[in-house]
Structures are given as C-alpha cells and as structure tokens.
Amino acid sequence: MSQVVLEKIVKRYAEVDVVHGIDLTVDSKEFVVLVGPSGCGKSTTLRMIAGLEEISDGTLSIGDRVVNDVAPKDRDVAMVFQNYALYPHLNVAENIAFGLRIRKVDKAEITRSVNEVAEILGLTNYLERKPADLSGGQRQRVAMGRAIVRHPEVFLFDEPLSNLDAQLRTQMRAEIKRLHSRLGVTSIYVTHDQVEAMTLADRIVVMSAGRIEQIGTPMELFMNPVNRFVAGFIGSPPMNQVKATIADGADGSVARISDTVSIPLSRAEGLAAANGQSVIVGIRPEDVLLEASGGEPSVPLDVNLIEPLGSEALIHASVGGEPFVIKTPTHGDISHLNDIKQFHVDVSRVKIFDEKSGSALYQADKAVG
Amino acid sequence: MKNSSRTSSLIQHFKREWQIYLLLAPLVIWFLLFLYKPMYGLQIAFKDFSLFKGVDASPWVGLEHFRTLFDSDMFIRAIKNTFIISFLNLLIGFPTPIILALMFNEIAQGKFRKSLQTIVYLPHFISLVIIAGIVINIFSPSTGVVNLLLQKLGFEPIYFLTQPEWFRPIFIGSGIWQEAGFQSIVYLAAIAGVSPSLYESAVVDGASRWQMMWKITLPCILPTIIIMLIIRIGNLLEVGFELIILLYQPSTFQTADVINTFIYRQGLVGNQYDVAAAAGLFNAVVAFVLVMAANTISRRLTRTSLW
Amino acid sequence: MQNMNLYSRGDKLFVRINIFLLTLFALSTLYPFIYIAAVSFSSGSAVTAGDVIYRPIDLTLAAYKYVWNESQFWVSYMNTFIYTVFGTIVSLLIIIPGAYALSRPQLIGRRFFNLFVAFTLWFNAGLIPFFLNMRDLGLLDSYFGIIIGFACNAFNVILLRNFFEGIPQSFEEAARMDGANDFQVLWKVYIPLSKPAIATVALFCIVSRWNGFFWAMILLRDEGKIPLQVFLRQTIVSLTSDEEFGSTLLEAAYSYETVTAAIIVASIIPVLFIYPFLQKYFNKGILLGGVKE
C-alpha cells in the first residue's frame, strides 16, 4: 500500500488562496481524518488528492510517483462520495462493476470480484436491486463496494456518513473501521463531525480557513490541543474557555477570572505563563469534580440550568460572570444538582491559552497521549 | 514566461478534454449554418437584391427599402395590426390560464380533476392546420354549428371568416382555446409550491375558500405571474402568424394582416425579398429591444433574469 | 383537499360553481373534436343540411373510404412519419452531445457558447434570410433540407443543458475516477440519468415535426414530399376558396366537410396515441425549461 505525501499544496481560485500550502504525510495503511468546519478546505484538499481539482501549487505524491498532472483514473485511488453517486439506472452488481467494465476487465473476473466484494459487505442478497430499493446503510455499502472492488492504493472518503441518521452513522462508522483493519488500505477521510474523526482516525488533521491547525492522534488532540480552535473543536460539549489574568496565588500561579474567583494552575502550566498576562483558561466540562476527592481547590459557581442526559447531566452555570458548562454523572438522581454552589478542578487538566494568539502556552510531551 | 506556460496548459487542456469539443461541434456548426448565416444574409435589407447575383454581389441601396416600407400604407397597417392583436391577446389571453389554474386548484386532486386537465391540455398538441380546419368548419356559414345555432335563434347567418370585424375575436378566441389550458400548468406548479401550512393556519383562523384564494394562493404565485407577464411582453410581436395565414383572406387583411404575414406575402409569395427582409429586420430589432427591456425589468423587479 | 363535510355552506356553493364552470370549459374544449369526429362519420348530405351537431347522422365510412383511396393522403402520411422519425433522431444526435458539452464546467468559452445559443432566442434573421439560406444551401424541395434545417433550437438545447447541470457533479466525478472518458460519461451516466429530460425534448421534437406545416409548405414543391399537414391545408384551402363554403361534390355520401374532418381525425389519432406520454413529460418539460437564474 502507498504513502500519500502533500508538500506545500495550494489551491487558488481566481487569485484567492483557499488552501494555503498544506504539508501532510499519510503513511501506508494509515487512516487519516481531515476534520474542520465547513469551508475550511478539507474537501478541496481531498479532491486535489483525487485529481478532481487541479493543484495550484505544491507537490502531491502517491507511492513514489508525483501525480499532480496524472488523470484521476490513473492515480489508483478510489473515492466514496457524500451522496454516494450510485447510478440509479444500474443495479447493485452493475454499480459495483461499473469501474471494472469501463476498464474492460474480463467478464468472469468482474463477476468474481463483485461477488467477493458483496460477500465482504454483506450485499450478496441485494445484487439485483436498484439503489432506490436499498436502505441508506445499504447504499452506503454499495458506494464502498464500488471503491473496494478496484483494489486501489488509496481510499478517499468525502463525508460518507453525513446523509445517514444518527443510529446508522454509529453502525457504519464501526463498519468502516472494521473494513479498514481488514483491507489495510491507506485511507483519507473527510468529515466535519469530530466524533467520527475521533473514533475512526489513526491520526486526525484539524483544519481551519485553509490551514492545518494540528495533526495528531485523537488522544493527543484531546489532551493537548495546540490552540483554542482545536480545543473548541475536539470534545463535546466543547472545552470551557474563560478569560483570566495570571496572578500569584498561595500555591503557585493562579488564573484570576474575577476579584473573587481564581483557578489554580498546575506547576508546568503556571511556569509557562507570565505574571499579569491575559489568558484564556480552558477546562473540559468533564474535568470538573463536584465532590472533592482530596485537596482540589474549589471554585464558586451559580447554576442556571440542568440538562439531564440520562447517565450524565449538563450543568449550565456561570463562573465569575462567564458561561461555564459542567458534565457530571447523575447516578440516577439530579435533584441535588441545583444546589451546587462550588466545584473542584483537577489542576492537572487545566489548559491556558494566550488571549491574543490563541496558542496553548504549555505543550505537554507528545508521549502523554 | 507566464504566457508560454499558459499556452502549454491550454495544449494540455485540449489534449485532455478534446472530446467535449468534438461533442459540441455539430451543435455549433448547425447554429452557424442555419441561424447565424441567415443573419449575415439580413444585409439584403440594405441592398437591391437579385437571386442571380446573390447576397454579396447585389448593390447597396441604403435605406431605400425602409423608406418604401414606411411609405406603404399596407406595412403601417401591418404594424398597427400586430400591436393591436398582441395587445388584445395579452389582455384576454394572459389572465385566462391564471384563472384556470386557480379554479383547478379548488378541485380535489383525483380522477375527475385529472380528466378535466387532460381535456384542456389537448388542443396544445394539435397542429395549427387542424385548428384552422376546425375553426373554418365550425364557423362555416352554411354548415357550421355556430351559424346553425344563430339560425335556430332567429338570426341571419354570419360569414364570420370574411368579415374584418370578426377576424380578431375568432383568432384570439381560438388561440385561447388552444393554449390557455396548457399554459395553466406553470401556475399550477407554482400553486403546488405554496406551503400547505399556510392554508391550514388559514382554516384554523376561519378563512373561507374564496378568501384563501385571494389572500394566500394569488399572492404566493405573484412572482410567477410577473415573470410570465414579462416573458409575454418580451414576445409581444410573436403573434401566431402561421394561424393567421391559415385563417385570413383578402377581405379580412385590413384587420388580420400583421408584420410577419406581410413579409410572407411580399417575400415568399411575391418574391420581393429585399423589401420583405427589411420588414423582417425591423420586426427583429423591435422584438430584440422588447426582450432585452423585459429581461432588464425582470432582473430589477425579481432579481432573477430569465436566462 | 379536506373532508367536504367540514366546509361551510358558502364554501360548498363556491366549490360547486367552480366545478360547474370548469366542466363547462372542458366541454367547450372537447366539443370541436367531438363535432369534427361526428362530421367525419356522417353523410355529406346530413352535414350540408346542418343536421350534425354532436353525433354522426347517417353513420357512414364514406369519407374515410374516400381518404383511404386518395393516394396523396398515404404519400403525405408516410412523409410525415419520415420527417418525424428522422427529424427527431437527428435533433437528438445534435442536441444531446451539444447540451452535455455546454454543461461542462471545464469547457473553455462556456459562457460564450451558451450566449451563442441563447442569442438566437432573442434575435433571429426572420423568414426571408432563412429561406434564401436554405435555397443557397440547395435544401429546397428535399427531405434532407426539412430534416436537417429544423433539427435544433435554442430552447431545447437550454432545457437539456439545464437538466444536465442539475445532475450532481459527483456522478461524473465517480465515473471519471473509475476511468470513464467524456463519451462514456455521457453515454453510460448522463443519458440514462436524464431519461425524463431527453424524453421531453424528444416529444417536443416529435410534436413539432408532426404538426409542422409552414416551412414544409414554403420549401417543398414536389407533391411526393409534402407532409400530411400541408396536404390537409391544401384540402382546406380548396374548401375555403369556394365562395359558398358549400359542397361542390354533390354525391351525398361524402362532401368536402366530411373528407376534411376524416383527414383531421386521421392525423390526430397518432397524437392521441402518445398523448399520455406527452402529458407526463410536458409537465416536467415546462418546469425544466422554466426560469433559471
């Protein structure tokens, strides 16, 4: 299987750059997810890899070959489209066979390949059906079958699950992952859904406004976001981000949110910040303890609203006048949550970001993830 | 440097995409040969054209043909008739399909409505020769059913198709008979696009069907009505001259002869090609101005242009 | 619509009046056809006497027998079939590939070519230059001239182009990644996906070919090449040119009226035959060809 290497890839429409020089190496057999809000350039990047968009600048190699000027059909890549692009006038078998027929593959060979792929995807009983008679999940599988059947070097996925309902999406997510581990084909997957990115990826590439914000394993991104954007994008509900000023406290540095409310910082984070610096304090909703387990500092809060989710509940509150969300286990009872007057912080989990640049002030060793 | 790379990328492009140019070629050639080449031939409007010399070799005569035309009472009459017939057609023919659509909308979807629609769409697909044949048959003074009716009511039979004052009503009426039903499709589609919740909330508010038609349906399809009206005005000069040729006769020329029938008689029957081409050019230019004006108005008014 | 019982009394009256008026309109649309059919099956003398109102009087097939034995009728009928079938095929062969090319974003000069097509909607040279052009091309009095000369029009091209443009780009992209070239994309993807639009355009062509008479009348001199509509017109003209509008053929079995009516019926029958398709696709076609931003 092949490596895909993007070097300083640029996409320009009428003199305006929409992708600004992307560098990315996708290793052989790796599953990389490009994630970001709509318009961040992730789909454009994928389409450049596919050969559906011209590359304005930079070099793209698949395997050992520079493919900038190679036609899509000769790049040995296959793509699963958001709307599946299943031909409504062909049945499942014909849809899967379409690419092989165009390539004039031998008839018996086509039948064999189609049957094999149908077997892998559990479509054997549906080969005669037209796409209109399939469920969403089955269509999704046919779309994947069309990609698999050609044994390409690289799979490209363009938001393939976004047309499915939530339950099916979870199921298909697992199926894609299983398929990848079975076939071991280098895969590049575009989505705007961070949960999909987290669950599928070997590595995630977070993009925004045509640039890469951060590349890393899901846990790296979760634990050590390099900036406020990544911190806000990965994790649900998003990390609380509260304005504060660094000051000296009793046990080292604290981030002062208001005259009465301060959040203590870990030693490492504290050392990275200068006294008096304006910062953003980042605390994940689930990194908050309602009952102190031993010596954690406490922060006062005002509860505004409780949203029970079942096993967990979201507490919408304000801390020092700023909105703040807490996610806490309910253990079957939420009656007490309204009375909460303070919470405790796991100091080791608090992140601080520079207010101006938005960058994380302290980067933990990458090995942490 | 930049130029040469552009040239080479152009060569690359044609190497990769030559097929679409090949697919386009027959269409372009057809348009050049059958629609653009005649535009070149329009110059005979300014020439003393002779079939033997051909378009290029015939001598120029400037605006002489236009002078001839505008000195001719027949041409002035044709212009007048064109506008009068178009205007009457607009006045009566334009609202009819809207009213029909509104009425159809008041009937529940089902077999009955479907068969009514099937009937009223039908004449659209019938050839003008047949329409003319039917009109002639029905208005025939001796055997036509209209005159039979008049006679039964005690009137004298009327020679409808030889009387100038009857030509326009018959022509416009048969146009409506042929097209009104079919034209209502556009409005029915627009009505189908109106959100049902508007009607539901009106029902809850106690509105009558009559009120809903006026207060909901009509305002909701107003944009479509405006666009159709603009298209109509843009095509104002396109009176259905083929049907006129089939229905008129010398005794009704004074009310029936329009620019295109004038051109037909001058050019194709009388072989006065250059004068007829001049009349055609006049017609085409006025039509072009009307279409452009209509499109501009539409863009201003509805923010969508028609093409 | 909702349950009739829920309507107020005013609404019920409104609905009834509405149904009454529409039915009246539909009947008056239908009546001329019924009348013509009745005339065609009546005896000439009954028509001349003014007895035929809505049903055949002295039921007879005389007019049809006359038409059946008229060789020009069959020649014209055959010609109309030829013009319709070949005309439609040639039209589609030009329009489909052209509309596809015009819908491709990668076509250099796409704006220009689209304008090139659309311009002919707004401006055309008119009858005389078109006629002289056909003459220069040597296409007078020829089957080929009628077939090729009216193969295309901007409206059909734009209609199909709009439809092609509405097909999600990903269909083409998927086919391209599978190795299809433009011919294959058009043939294996776009044409099968566009069946309704192509059917609409084909039906437009068929109807206009079947009904076309004006240019056939102008361009064709040879009686052996004229289509049915021109033949029909000649029959009608010979009727109207008679000052009395009366019968000159005084054999009682048929008259000019009944013969004309029989030809009309014979030429409408194929239209009625494809009418269900017409209704289905013209509905769509009107919307497809409708306003586009």
Side-chain angles (χ1 to χ4, degrees):
Chain A
M1 293 297 136
S2 303
Q3 208 184 30
V4 178
V5 182
L6 289 76
E7 285 171 282
K8 306 240 168 343
I9 294 285
V10 172
K11 181 65 196 180
R12 200 172 290 128
Y13 288 116
E15 313 291 310
V16 179
D17 287 9
V18 292
V19 173
H20 308 267
I22 284 196
D23 287 300
L24 172 67
T25 301
V26 180
D27 291 326
S28 178
K29 299 187 179 185
E30 192 180 20
F31 199 115
V32 165
V33 176
L34 306 184
V35 66
S38 54
C40 73
K42 57 190 191 297
S43 270
T44 309
T45 306
L46 190 80
R47 291 166 59 81
M48 284 192 282
I49 298 172
L52 297 172
E53 300 269 359
E54 249 170 72
I55 296 168
S56 309
D57 221 332
T59 317
L60 170 69
S61 341
I62 296 175
D64 309 324
R65 189 160 68 121
V66 174
V67 294
N68 283 40
D69 294 324
V70 175
K73 64 183 164 99
D74 300 323
R75 291 191 182 191
D76 211 359
V77 298
M79 184 150 162
V80 178
F81 289 85
Q82 179 171 5
N83 64 358
Y84 315 144
L86 298 183
Y87 306 121
H89 57 288
L90 302 180
N91 66 27
V92 169
E94 290 163 334
N95 261 291
I96 295 176
F98 186 85
L100 300 179
R101 287 207 182 148
I102 292 278
R103 281 159 204 265
K104 305 250 180 320
V105 175
D106 172 68
K107 271 225 170 88
E109 171 64 23
I110 291 179
T111 315
R112 205 190 53 74
S113 303
V114 169
N115 286 337
E116 179 191 312
V117 167
E119 181 76 48
I120 293 174
L121 292 167
L123 289 169
T124 309
N125 293 329
Y126 305 98
L127 285 174
E128 299 299 320
R129 287 206 198 169
K130 291 275 172 70
D133 305 324
L134 298 176
S135 70
Q138 287 163 341
R139 282 180 212 176
Q140 168 66 45
R141 271 185 227 136
V142 178
M144 289 200 290
R146 225 169 47 182
I148 294 169
V149 77
R150 282 172 38 205
H151 299 292
E153 290 291 308
V154 181
F155 277 149
L156 305 175
F157 297 88
D158 188 6
E159 309 226 12
L161 302 183
S162 55
N163 285 358
L164 300 178
D165 62 46
Q167 205 179 353
L168 208 50
R169 206 179 307 165
T170 316
Q171 190 189 328
M172 290 309 297
R173 216 161 59 199
E175 215 157 305
I176 290 178
K177 191 156 193 173
R178 202 164 55 236
L179 206 63
H180 178 253
S181 61
R182 175 166 173 180
L183 301 171
V185 180
T186 313
S187 301
I188 304 174
Y189 185 109
V190 160
T191 178
H192 62 266
D193 178 357
Q194 58 95 17
V195 179
E196 245 169 78
M198 294 292 279
T199 49
L200 282 169
D202 294 327
R203 277 191 307 156
I204 296 177
V205 178
V206 181
M207 291 183 67
S208 142
R211 289 177 215 283
I212 292 181
E213 297 288 344
Q214 190 172 2
I215 305 178
T217 64
M219 285 318 284
E220 268 167 25
L221 298 192
F222 185 73
M223 297 304 292
N224 287 308
V226 293
N227 56 31
R228 290 181 61 192
F229 180 82
V230 178
F233 200 81
I234 302 289
S236 169
M239 183 183 267
N240 293 297
Q241 300 190 14
V242 185
K243 248 176 155 173
T245 314
I246 301 294
D248 276 333
D251 280 326
S253 295
V254 296
R256 192 184 293 277
I257 294 169
S258 69
D259 290 344
T260 49
V261 182
S262 295
I263 293 173
L265 300 177
S266 73
R267 211 177 129 71
E269 294 275 347
L271 283 175
N275 224 348
Q277 189 177 358
S278 293
V279 296
I280 302 293
V281 182
I283 302 170
R284 292 214 177 268
E286 50 277 341
D287 289 342
V288 165
L289 305 168
L290 297 181
E291 313 273 334
S293 60
E296 289 92 351
S298 72
V299 178
L301 88 168
D302 299 313
V303 174
N304 299 329
L305 177 71
I306 309 288
E307 280 185 328
L309 303 176
S311 65
E312 288 159 334
L314 296 183
I315 304 171
H316 294 266
S318 50
V319 172
E322 304 244 13
F324 199 94
V325 176
I326 293 170
K327 191 172 177 183
T328 184
T330 55
H331 306 296
D333 179 20
I334 57 165
S335 57
H336 60 288
L337 294 180
N338 265 315
D339 306 328
I340 288 170
K341 294 281 178 268
Q342 58 177 23
F343 66 89
H344 306 273
V345 192
D346 180 351
V347 175
S348 68
R349 295 293 189 84
V350 175
K351 301 289 298 175
I352 50 175
F353 303 93
D354 182 51
E355 196 196 352
K356 276 202 198 84
S357 68
S359 304
L361 290 178
Y362 172 71
Q363 267 296 290
D365 195 348
K366 296 240 160 155
V368 169
Chain B
M1 189 62 205
K2 200 169 182 186
N3 243 331
S4 77
S5 83
R6 192 167 286 172
T7 317
S8 79
S9 83
L10 214 60
I11 291 171
Q12 275 275 318
H13 170 84
F14 283 115
K15 255 187 188 160
R16 207 174 47 228
E17 308 282 0
W18 59 271
Q19 292 168 335
I20 50 173
Y21 296 92
L22 189 65
L23 292 167
L24 184 62
L27 182 91
V28 171
I29 292 170
W30 190 91
F31 270 81
L32 284 175
L33 214 54
F34 290 102
L35 293 175
Y36 281 92
K37 196 160 154 273
M39 289 184 201
Y40 174 80
L42 256 181
Q43 56 180 280
I44 64 167
F46 306 98
K47 285 186 161 182
D48 183 14
F49 177 71
S50 107
L51 275 179
F52 305 104
K53 290 182 189 157
V55 172
D56 290 314
S58 296
W60 294 96
V61 294
L63 295 175
E64 198 190 300
H65 300 316
F66 291 94
R67 246 173 255 132
T68 314
L69 280 175
F70 285 100
D71 283 343
S72 129
D73 291 340
M74 262 218 286
F75 185 63
I76 302 294
R77 186 183 74 189
I79 295 178
K80 227 176 74 191
N81 280 337
T82 305
F83 277 97
I84 291 175
I85 292 180
S86 304
F87 185 72
L88 289 175
N89 229 337
L90 186 70
L91 203 68
I92 305 165
F94 183 73
T96 315
I98 302 173
I99 295 167
L100 267 182
L102 290 173
M103 289 171 76
F104 273 125
N105 186 48
E106 296 299 326
I107 300 186
Q109 293 275 6
K111 274 218 176 100
F112 180 63
R113 173 169 162 180
K114 196 132 198 212
S115 30
L116 285 188
Q117 283 175 314
T118 303
I119 291 170
V120 303
Y121 297 164
L122 181 64
H124 172 82
F125 300 99
I126 303 303
S127 97
L128 290 174
V129 183
I130 295 176
I131 304 286
I134 292 176
V135 169
I136 290 169
N137 229 315
I138 284 183
F139 288 100
S140 152
S142 52
T143 64
V145 80
V146 178
N147 271 313
L148 292 180
L149 203 69
L150 285 179
Q151 277 168 307
K152 286 224 169 92
L153 295 173
F155 293 97
E156 286 294 300
I158 301 175
Y159 284 56
F160 286 101
L161 290 169
T162 57
Q163 314 257 316
E165 67 269 27
W166 280 106
F167 182 82
R168 286 172 190 159
I170 289 175
F171 174 73
I172 290 168
S174 55
I176 291 173
W177 176 77
Q178 187 181 14
E179 294 296 343
F182 192 69
Q183 285 167 352
S184 70
I185 290 178
V186 176
Y187 301 106
L188 279 170
I191 292 173
V194 179
S195 160
S197 60
L198 290 179
Y199 295 104
E200 282 157 12
S201 77
V203 169
V204 173
D205 288 344
S208 72
R209 301 200 58 80
W210 179 253
Q211 285 170 320
M212 285 193 269
M213 192 175 90
W214 279 98
K215 300 263 160 75
I216 300 175
T217 314
L218 210 52
C220 283
I221 63 168
L222 198 59
T224 310
I225 294 177
I226 290 173
I227 286 179
M228 294 310 290
L229 182 64
I230 291 166
I231 293 178
R232 249 334 241 271
I233 292 172
N235 295 334
L236 203 63
L237 291 189
E238 268 188 31
V239 285
F241 79 96
E242 299 181 9
L243 184 58
I244 295 183
I245 287 177
L246 291 165
L247 287 180
Y248 76 166
Q249 41 188 295
S251 65
T252 52
F253 280 1
Q254 77 181 87
T255 52
D257 195 22
V258 294
I259 299 175
N260 270 324
T261 52
F262 174 83
I263 295 169
Y264 163 74
R265 279 201 326 280
Q266 291 289 312
L268 298 175
V269 180
N271 295 341
Q272 292 249 35
Y273 296 117
D274 41 14
V275 176
L281 181 59
F282 170 78
N283 194 42
V285 168
V286 175
F288 184 74
V289 169
L290 280 173
V291 169
M292 285 298 124
N295 196 39
T296 310
I297 294 169
S298 151
R299 202 174 328 197
R300 294 261 165 79
L301 226 59
T302 62
R303 288 209 211 106
T304 57
S305 64
L306 305 174
W307 35 72
Chain C
M1 293 289 144
Q2 306 93 335
N3 182 350
M4 195 67 178
N5 294 328
L6 296 177
Y7 286 9
S8 70
R9 262 172 59 194
D11 280 353
K12 276 182 192 162
L13 186 68
F14 172 66
V15 168
R16 287 201 181 113
I17 291 175
N18 180 50
I19 287 180
F20 173 74
L21 289 176
L22 266 181
T23 311
L24 206 64
F25 183 83
L27 286 179
S28 67
T29 307
L30 200 57
Y31 174 69
F33 295 108
I34 294 171
Y35 173 71
I36 290 295
V39 167
S40 76
F41 287 106
S42 298
S43 72
S45 52
V47 173
T48 313
D51 292 339
V52 180
I53 303 291
Y54 63 93
R55 65 188 171 87
I57 306 291
D58 304 340
L59 189 69
T60 169
L61 290 174
Y64 288 94
K65 278 184 189 139
Y66 176 85
V67 171
W68 184 273
N69 291 321
E70 169 73 54
S71 64
Q72 183 63 46
F73 171 78
W74 292 108
V75 170
S76 304
Y77 219 109
M78 193 63 216
N79 285 335
T80 292
F81 261 109
I82 291 172
Y83 293 130
T84 302
V85 170
F86 289 97
T88 303
I89 291 172
V90 170
S91 296
L92 293 179
L93 285 179
I94 296 175
I95 294 173
I96 293 172
Y100 171 75
L102 289 175
S103 73
R104 299 299 80 202
Q106 67 265 32
L107 180 78
I108 293 179
R110 184 175 171 213
R111 275 177 66 96
F112 167 80
F113 285 117
N114 278 307
L115 197 67
F116 172 82
V117 169
F119 182 73
T120 62
L121 279 178
W122 317 322
F123 188 87
N124 77 63
L127 307 178
I128 304 301
F130 185 86
F131 171 77
L132 293 175
N133 182 48
M134 291 296 278
R135 190 182 165 277
D136 290 348
L137 293 170
L139 294 175
L140 296 190
D141 215 8
S142 89
Y143 281 104
F144 183 67
I146 298 288
I147 289 171
I148 189 75
F150 306 90
C152 234
N153 65 47
F155 181 79
N156 283 342
V157 174
I158 291 170
L159 187 152
L160 201 55
R161 185 207 64 197
N162 286 353
F163 190 86
F164 283 155
E165 278 174 353
I167 292 176
Q169 191 77 23
S170 56
F171 281 111
E172 186 207 341
E173 291 171 349
R176 252 178 223 295
M177 299 202 63
D178 279 344
N181 60 31
D182 271 300
F183 298 138
Q184 289 169 319
V185 171
L186 174 59
W187 184 248
K188 300 203 166 181
V189 181
Y190 272 66
I191 290 180
L193 284 177
S194 312
K195 273 187 203 143
I198 291 173
T200 305
V201 170
L203 287 167
F204 273 119
C205 293
I206 291 171
V207 168
S208 82
R209 291 287 183 174
W210 190 266
N211 290 339
F213 87 98
F214 181 74
W215 283 107
M217 175 180 86
I218 303 293
L219 297 175
L220 299 173
R221 290 277 159 269
D222 183 351
E223 295 272 298
K225 291 173 183 163
I226 60 166
L228 190 58
Q229 303 300 336
V230 175
F231 170 64
L232 180 58
R233 173 169 192 268
Q234 287 171 355
T235 316
I236 293 170
V237 165
S238 64
L239 171 70
T240 53
S241 62
D242 179 9
E243 285 288 47
E244 294 294 305
F245 287 101
S247 290
T248 48
L249 279 174
L250 287 172
E251 295 160 66
Y254 56 85
S255 66
Y256 271 131
E257 282 88 353
T258 62
V259 169
T260 320
I263 301 175
I264 289 176
V265 171
S267 96
I268 288 181
I269 282 172
V271 177
L272 293 182
F273 196 67
I274 60 165
Y275 189 51
F277 302 98
L278 288 174
Q279 242 204 320
K280 184 173 159 205
Y281 288 112
F282 272 64
N283 257 317
K284 285 183 191 160
I286 283 260
L287 302 179
L288 290 174
V291 180
K292 182 161 198 270
E293 287 191 36

